Amino acid sequence: MKLLPLLVVVALGLATVVVSAGPQTIECWFVEDAGGGGLSKKPATLLLRHGPRGPPPRPDLDPKLYFKVDDPAGMLLAAFRRYPAGAHAPHCEMSSYIPFPASAKWARGLSPQQNCSRALDGDWLMVSVSGTVFSLSSLLRPLPEPQREPVFITMATVVLTVLTRHPAPRIHLGKDAVLDLRFAYAPPALEDAPSVASGPPPFGLEWRRQHRGKGHLLLAAIPGLLEKMPPAREKAVAFAAWDDDNDPWGPWTGNGTLWLPAVSPSQEGVYLATVHLPYLQGQVSLELTVHKPPRVSLTPAPIVWAAPGEAPPELLCLVSHFYPEEGLEVEWELRGGPEGSSRKAEGKTWVSTVRHHSDGSVSQSGHLQLPPVTDKQHGVRYACRVRHPSLPSSGRSAEVTLEVAGFSGPSIEDGIGLFLSAFLLLGLFKALGWMAAYLTIPKILKEKASATSLTVPKDEKKSE
């Protein structure tokens, strides 16, 4: 086979793999009001793609809840096309939706008329998908009645999709946070719909945070409209714009990513991102958490001395500047010794109270009071191992070596070290002596010169 046809075959094969990647169907729950304040749930399915034989039969479903999805903008299908094969299936819910103007005062300019356009008549569905890979919200326009091709199935067109590819951002304390948000809009195509101007419609972007039962508006924006907007809080900035390479007649894609500088623990919580179009809204949620791994140090270190029958000094394991406060574990291990193994260290242990720092991080210290040692413990190592949600599963540790006095004579290395120490001390003493002599001699000479100038010669006295 020649090279060019081979490359074409490979390229077509790769394209087939990309197109056919991801799940074929998404199982959902259709939620509706059951009366009396309760909700009912019915199984529903979104058919994203099918084989040459057409949609597979689903006799277990109501045909009105078996939807074949048409996505002109491609954002919903692209999100599932990249879904990892081994990942858990996302949670999907759908419910009926009624187009309405945005309730926020700052967004009233998007829908100057309270009555919706006739192009928005008919049934609407809101689909919410949440998972670890992405979260999205889509508005679908289903046809009134199921179609037979070759099984009964309801055709549904995606009109608006709001997507985040990072639904659970985990930010290092003090670093900037970038909360991802994309959206796509395909205007309803109805034969009796009035003609509209080319280009994407105006949109509003809203970011809110909910934390410990409280919520407030962080940022609101309507690009291109001269509306009086509420001021942004916490120095938040949003990249709110339609993409430049959009078709003048749609569909269109846009960006609403939020940037928060130097996040602190107070900025943790659930962030709600809402995209407002005239009479249509789509919303996703992101859960931002802050973390900072601890620094671990052990004192005294690197050697602790003790005589046989005496207890070594108390060991202090300082775990400093970490976040969150919860989840800290300090373990003490005894390593080495005759068996050469690692085991839990004996002794009295406790953990200090939490010390708070100005940046929101905290510090704690673990303490170990060892029992009296024996000769057999010479050379063993005591280690404190710290586990925390911000660290890998193995944790982080620091260790100190125990030296038992009198257990063994000095080694060659010890002798060399002592010799070098003595040599350096001798040199230091000599240098100090020379320096003292150097500073003293000018003083003595100065004193002699002063005494000579004040003394009167005997010959001069006689002449007087």
Side-chain angles (χ1 to χ4, degrees):
M1 184 179 290
K2 295 183 179 180
L3 180 60
L4 183 58
L6 178 61
L7 292 176
V8 172
V9 171
V10 172
L12 290 176
L14 291 176
T16 303
V17 171
V18 172
V19 171
S20 62
Q24 179 181 4
T25 60
I26 300 299
E27 304 299 324
C28 299
W29 290 103
F30 181 77
V31 181
E32 59 183 348
D33 187 6
L39 297 174
S40 66
K41 297 172 64 176
K42 298 178 182 179
T45 296
L46 299 176
L47 178 64
L48 305 181
R49 55 185 177 82
H50 56 79
R53 297 182 179 180
R58 290 295 299 267
D60 58 318
L61 295 175
D62 182 347
K64 292 185 177 181
L65 298 180
Y66 186 22
F67 300 97
K68 181 182 178 182
V69 177
D70 177 31
D71 185 14
M75 184 169 287
L76 183 146
L77 296 180
F80 282 104
R81 192 178 299 129
R82 299 184 181 94
Y83 204 84
H88 293 288
H91 178 71
C92 176
E93 284 189 359
M94 64 174 61
S95 59
S96 298
Y97 178 83
I98 299 176
F100 60 93
S103 59
K105 293 181 179 180
W106 59 266
R108 290 178 180 176
L110 295 172
S111 50
Q113 299 178 355
Q114 292 301 311
N115 296 326
C116 297
S117 169
R118 297 303 301 272
L120 302 180
D121 289 347
D123 296 330
W124 286 81
L125 290 174
M126 168 71 77
V127 178
S128 299
V129 180
S130 58
T132 57
V133 179
F134 63 80
S135 291
L136 65 82
S137 174
S138 289
L139 293 180
L140 275 63
R141 286 289 304 272
L143 292 181
E145 297 295 333
Q147 308 294 313
R148 184 180 180 89
E149 55 155 78
V151 300
F152 281 105
I153 192 170
T154 301
M155 312 297 290
T157 302
V158 180
V159 176
L160 173 65
T161 297
V162 181
L163 166 72
T164 177
R165 293 163 292 188
H166 303 285
R170 190 166 176 260
I171 309 300
H172 193 285
L173 178 63
K175 301 296 183 180
D176 297 349
V178 178
L179 307 187
D180 168 73
L181 184 71
R182 300 285 301 173
F183 52 94
Y185 174 62
L190 298 179
E191 294 181 358
D192 58 346
S195 59
V196 294
S198 63
F203 75 93
L205 176 65
E206 179 182 6
W207 279 94
R208 302 182 69 90
R209 181 176 66 241
Q210 294 180 340
H211 183 58
R212 297 180 179 178
K214 297 181 180 181
H216 62 269
L217 179 67
L218 278 179
L219 181 143
I222 302 181
L225 290 184
L226 300 177
E227 297 288 336
K228 185 177 181 180
M229 307 304 298
R233 302 178 62 175
E234 301 175 14
K235 300 181 180 180
V237 177
F239 304 93
W242 293 106
D243 293 337
D244 294 334
D245 56 351
N246 289 307
D247 187 280
W249 302 106
W252 304 286
T253 59
N255 191 346
T257 300
L258 181 72
W259 177 70
L260 291 173
V263 296
S264 63
S266 63
Q267 293 173 292
E268 285 187 315
V270 176
Y271 285 72
L272 301 178
T274 307
V275 175
H276 297 271
L277 291 174
Y279 311 103
L280 302 177
Q281 295 84 33
Q283 183 181 89
V284 294
S285 64
L286 305 83
E287 186 171 3
L288 185 147
T289 57
V290 178
H291 75 102
K292 185 178 182 180
R295 297 193 297 265
V296 180
S297 59
L298 183 59
T299 57
I303 297 175
V304 58
W305 287 89
E310 294 181 355
E314 178 185 304
L315 298 183
L316 174 64
C317 182
L318 180 59
V319 188
S320 59
H321 293 84
F322 63 92
Y323 187 85
E325 177 182 335
E326 299 80 11
L328 179 69
E329 297 180 7
V330 179
E331 302 172 352
W332 292 93
E333 298 176 356
L334 180 63
R335 301 173 179 176
E339 299 83 3
S341 59
S342 177
R343 62 187 185 276
K344 184 178 179 180
E346 297 180 357
K348 182 181 179 181
T349 63
W350 69 94
V351 179
S352 70
T353 58
V354 176
R355 297 183 297 278
H356 296 266
H357 304 290
S358 59
D359 64 348
S361 64
V362 297
S363 296
Q364 277 185 283
S365 56
H367 300 256
L368 173 62
Q369 183 62 62
L370 294 167
V373 299
T374 63
D375 293 345
K376 294 182 179 181
Q377 292 176 277
H378 178 77
V380 299
R381 303 184 307 278
Y382 285 96
C384 73
R385 180 177 295 277
V386 173
R387 303 184 189 277
H388 188 259
S390 63
L391 294 172
S393 58
S394 59
R396 186 169 290 174
S397 64
E399 67 177 34
V400 62
T401 302
L402 174 64
E403 298 288 347
V404 180
F407 174 71
S408 60
S411 61
I412 296 177
E413 292 82 1
D414 296 334
I416 294 174
L418 291 174
F419 173 77
L420 292 175
S421 299
F423 181 78
L424 292 174
L425 287 174
L426 179 60
L428 179 61
F429 291 151
K430 287 187 176 182
L432 291 175
W434 293 336
M435 185 177 295
Y438 176 78
L439 295 175
T440 304
I441 289 174
K443 183 177 180 181
I444 296 174
L445 294 176
K446 186 176 180 180
E447 291 177 353
K448 287 184 178 181
S450 300
T452 304
S453 61
L454 295 174
T455 301
V456 179
K458 292 182 181 181
D459 297 338
E460 294 181 3
K461 289 183 178 181
K462 290 179 181 181
S463 61
E464 294 177 354

